[in-house]
Structures are given as structure tokens and as C-alpha cells.
Amino acid sequence: MSPRAGSAGPHTLAFVESPVQLLNVLEWAHLHALGAPEASGAGPGAGSPALMLVVLSPTDPMTRGQLRRMAELARDEGYQVRWEEARGGPGAPFQTIGGLTPLLRRARRVVMGDPFSRYVQLLLTITKARDLVVVDDGTATMEFVAQLARGERLVRWHRKGGRPGARDLIFAPVSSSARRRLTPGDRRHVEVFSSMPVDEKPEGVTVTANDFAWTRARFGPPRITKGADMVGTSLVETGVVDGDHYLEAVRTLAKAHGATRYFAHRRESVDKLHRLAAETGLEIVRPDLPLEVIARRGPVGRTILSFPSTVVHTLPLALAGTEVRVAVCDIDPAWLTENASPRAQGFLSGVTGKARDVTRLSAVTAA
């Protein structure tokens, strides 16, 4: 674990809660050439790090493992990493926020990977930074930008079908405050750094394209195998897609395209993955890094099969210049659960339809 910052503190604080968020902070820092301490002379701020990555660690082992690997890569790039056990018990949030408050008040810029996170929203109420950056957190970025443009409250797309719960109502003032902080003004600049398509650009927000230049420079090109690989999704775990329909779709798609490996999403349940392996014959791979890095390092199949997800936008960029083809299979409306958000089908279709440099496959039909 990195030592606590000195009195000067970093000029830029980045808060991440997932491996992909950390990867995209590295991509953003690479584009802006952040790395070495910004000041070398004497006086206040001398030798302060240009960027400190703060990991607000989750509890599930898969995500924690990937985050630790990504933290190693960040340190290799010369960045300071601060690991916070932000969910390590009832008192952990108070200890984490208390420890970060001095840094937040001194930071000139705050970078975040998930503006929907209650943790991040709470931290936004503390900071005085006038420069705010939102880096990609997958398809959620598309929804965040659209909600900000329409002046809506910040709600994840797959939760929008239900009524706000008690916790939502209690936290509503903090969420509203965070949304106001993320709205550009005369004294506040907001940047969105994304590889996702942005259709509704909020007034005053700077949108910067993420083309995965750091990943391509750091890894690969990969060795390409003859077969196909499949990318897993957590749509079952989030209650959007029925588990039986999903298993049948995976089986049918793998058989049709000769897939042999299934790269599991970090949030997929162990029981579901065991069932997939037993009933489809696919080799289940639990990646120790984000798939963009895994694919770029190789080996990787000549075809990568995916359902609507972030990777249909990111993998073509990370694998640019290779002969790998990314193919995306639509979600059949019949696969959706009765509890899925009314917006689910339209949102997922939009994720697929807006993807560039992919082959679009029709939804498979169960045998």
C-alpha cells in the first residue's frame, strides 16, 4: 500500500471502484501526459504527485484481484496508488471519507469512474476542485451523459423501472448535489473521457475520445488463434436477462461459431459459470485483468463473440490493427425477465446499434 500523501497532496485525485475504471484513468493520464511530479523546486507543492489513484475497494474477490493487478500496472507507470478498504465494515466509510477529506479539499482536479456511485457522489460534495473528469465506466457512461444533458436525476439504466427505495430517498440530496457539481459553470470545467458514443452532449461538457492508446502501446500485438472466444455478461446477475434463456443462447452461439473459451465477467456467479461449463463444454476463463488488456496481450480468437456490453465498443479500439473480428449478438426480448426495466430492450439495442467496427448478429433462437 502506498504511503499517505504529504502536506501538499496530489494535484489530481482519481477515484476508482472497478478494474475498467482504473484502466481508463491510465488511458486518460496517458493522453494528458501525467506521470512525474509536477513541481521540482522548493516551496509548496514541490515534488507533489501529478496523479494519485484512490481505489475504493469493493468486497468481491474477483474484482479485488483485478484491481490489485491494475494497481501494479499503475505503479509501474509511476503513479501513486492509495488502497482504501472503503467497505471493510460499518465504520469503514467514515474512516475512508475522513482520511480523504484533506486531499479532496486541496486537489485541483478530481477524476472519477462512476458518477452513479454513492461513494463518489458523497466525495463530490467535499471537494473544491474546479476541474472534474468522468472516465468510462462502460455503458453506464452513455446513460450518465444522456441524463446530465436532460437534467434528470442520476439513476443506473437497469434500475430505472422501479420506485426509489428508502436508501434512494435518504441519499437524494447528496445525489442532487453531485449532479449540480457535474454540471459545468463559469468556475467549473467538466470533461467526459469515453470510447462510447455520445449522442446527447450536455452543454459546456468537453467530450474527449478514448482510443486505448496506452493499452495498444503497452501490450501486444496479440497472437491470434483460429477459433472463436466468447465474452460473458452480468445481465443475468443484474436481473435483466433470464438465466435459462441466457444459457441456451450461449450454447447455440458457441456451437454456431465454434467458440471454445468463455471469458467470464467479474460479476458472474460461480454457480452460473459451473452450469455453463457443464452444459456447453466451454472452457471458463476468469481474467485477472480487464478484457481489453487480456485480448491485447493474447492469445485471442480470430472472432470474439459478445452480447450487448461495453466490450463491443472498446475491443475494436484495443485490437485496432489486428485481424480480430468482434461480433455482437442482439438480446431477444423474450430473454428479458419480468422485473427488467421497461427501458432495457431499447438501451441494449442502442448499445449494439451504435457500436463501430463490429459484425452484428441476430438474436439466436433457442432450439
Side-chain angles (χ1 to χ4, degrees):
M1 185 180 299
S2 295
R4 302 273 172 169
S7 59
H11 294 180
T12 299
L13 272 178
F15 295 100
V16 298
E17 299 172 273
S18 77
V20 168
Q21 292 174 26
L22 205 161
L23 170 61
N24 288 320
V25 171
L26 294 182
E27 294 287 353
W28 174 85
H30 176 78
L31 178 67
H32 291 278
L34 296 185
E38 293 182 359
S40 58
S48 300
L51 170 65
M52 177 189 285
L53 284 143
V54 180
V55 179
L56 302 173
S57 178
T59 57
D60 68 284
M62 185 73 179
T63 303
R64 289 171 65 89
Q66 287 193 10
L67 274 168
R68 290 198 182 279
R69 288 296 312 280
M70 286 303 305
E72 292 173 8
L73 292 177
R75 292 187 181 100
D76 289 345
E77 295 295 310
Y79 302 121
Q80 188 174 359
V81 179
R82 173 168 167 158
W83 186 280
E84 292 284 346
E85 292 293 350
R87 297 166 175 86
F94 300 101
Q95 183 177 355
T96 297
I97 292 170
L100 292 172
T101 295
L103 296 176
L104 275 164
R105 289 178 173 166
R106 288 193 294 266
R108 301 175 187 173
R109 181 193 293 123
V110 169
V111 182
M112 70 209 78
D114 184 6
F116 294 103
S117 165
R118 288 174 175 169
Y119 235 125
V120 169
Q121 290 179 2
L122 189 57
L123 294 172
L124 279 175
T125 66
I126 300 171
T127 183
K128 298 179 180 180
R130 298 180 181 178
D131 195 356
L132 302 177
V133 182
V134 178
V135 301
D136 260 341
D137 185 34
T139 52
T141 307
M142 298 167 61
E143 187 72 347
F144 162 70
V145 173
Q147 289 178 8
L148 191 64
R150 296 191 295 260
E152 299 176 353
R153 65 190 183 100
L154 302 180
V155 183
R156 299 184 193 277
W157 67 268
H158 56 81
R159 294 185 57 202
K160 206 162 185 179
R163 295 180 179 179
R167 289 184 179 181
D168 297 316
L169 295 175
I170 293 172
F171 206 78
V174 174
S175 182
S176 296
S177 175
R179 188 185 65 227
R180 289 192 296 271
R181 291 302 308 270
L182 288 165
T183 301
D186 293 338
R187 304 178 64 184
R188 185 166 53 251
H189 175 258
V190 178
E191 176 187 0
V192 173
F193 178 72
S194 178
S195 59
M196 312 299 288
V198 176
D199 294 332
E200 300 178 74
K201 179 177 173 292
E203 183 178 357
V205 171
T206 300
V207 178
T208 307
N210 176 10
D211 64 359
F212 286 88
W214 177 81
T215 299
R216 287 184 283 109
R218 184 77 160 72
F219 305 100
R223 178 172 65 84
I224 301 174
T225 64
K226 293 181 180 180
D229 292 325
M230 184 174 291
V231 178
T233 174
S234 61
L235 290 173
V236 173
E237 283 71 15
T238 54
V240 176
V241 170
D242 174 76
D244 291 335
H245 281 103
Y246 180 77
L247 187 144
E248 185 58 37
V250 169
R251 186 198 340 261
T252 305
L253 200 61
K255 183 177 179 180
H257 295 271
T260 57
R261 295 190 299 176
Y262 180 97
F263 286 93
H265 188 282
R266 60 186 175 82
R267 289 179 179 165
E268 288 189 85
S269 72
V270 173
D271 290 343
K272 179 180 121 183
L273 293 175
H274 284 166
R275 187 181 173 195
L276 278 171
E279 298 189 26
T280 67
L282 287 165
E283 176 191 355
I284 306 298
V285 179
R286 303 296 301 261
D288 61 349
L289 288 166
L291 194 58
E292 293 79 9
V293 176
I294 294 292
R296 186 69 194 181
R297 290 195 313 181
V300 65
R302 190 168 296 278
T303 299
I304 297 178
L305 303 166
S306 177
F307 296 100
S309 72
T310 306
V311 299
V312 305
H313 296 273
T314 60
L315 284 180
L317 296 170
L319 295 169
T322 72
E323 296 179 359
V324 177
R325 177 179 72 113
V326 178
V328 55
C329 177
D330 286 329
I331 296 292
D332 190 316
W335 304 350
L336 300 180
T337 67
E338 61 180 15
N339 297 320
S341 164
R343 298 186 61 251
Q345 183 63 37
F347 184 82
L348 292 170
S349 296
V351 171
T352 303
K354 295 171 185 176
R356 299 177 291 269
D357 300 321
V358 301
T359 300
R360 189 165 183 177
L361 307 174
S362 299
V364 296
T365 303

